Amino acid sequence: MNYYAVRLPILDEEKSQVYREEHLNYLAALADQGNIFTYGRFTDGSGGLVIYKAKDLDEATSLAKKDPYVTSGARDFVINEWAMNTDVLSR
């Protein structure tokens, strides 16, 4: 599995509030399937970040595009493969 960082900048604040529960349920379901490493919001209110676990960029992009935040137009997404530095975790 590879890791993909998906930034979700806000496009529409009102829609973001409306679709928040659906978004969190979507992430919970993917976490149960093993496709989420972690996620969280930015404290400045600009959006959030999801770290997906996927076999390749196409799979991660497909998962990100199905997020209710994205499908509703509440958020955009920017995706990059992420090389997690595991050396830091062992210190």
Side-chain angles (χ1 to χ4, degrees), residues 24-73:
L24 293 174
N25 290 338
Y26 179 71
L27 295 182
L30 289 180
D32 289 344
Q33 297 170 18
N35 288 108
I36 298 288
F37 177 69
T38 194
Y39 62 88
R41 65 178 183 82
F42 297 130
T43 59
D44 67 359
S46 65
L49 179 76
V50 179
I51 306 292
Y52 286 95
K53 292 176 9 183
K55 66 179 177 176
D56 57 30
L57 180 61
D58 288 339
E59 180 183 22
T61 300
S62 176
L63 293 172
K65 284 182 175 181
K66 293 175 185 172
D67 186 320
Y69 270 168
V70 175
T71 61
S72 70

Side-chain angles (χ1 to χ4, degrees), residues 4-23:
Y4 297 88
V6 176
R7 191 170 150 269
L8 296 163
I10 292 178
L11 296 175
D12 185 315
E13 181 67 41
E14 186 175 323
K15 283 184 179 179
S16 287
Q17 292 174 6
V18 169
Y19 289 95
R20 184 173 194 275
E21 187 173 344
E22 286 183 48
H23 162 72

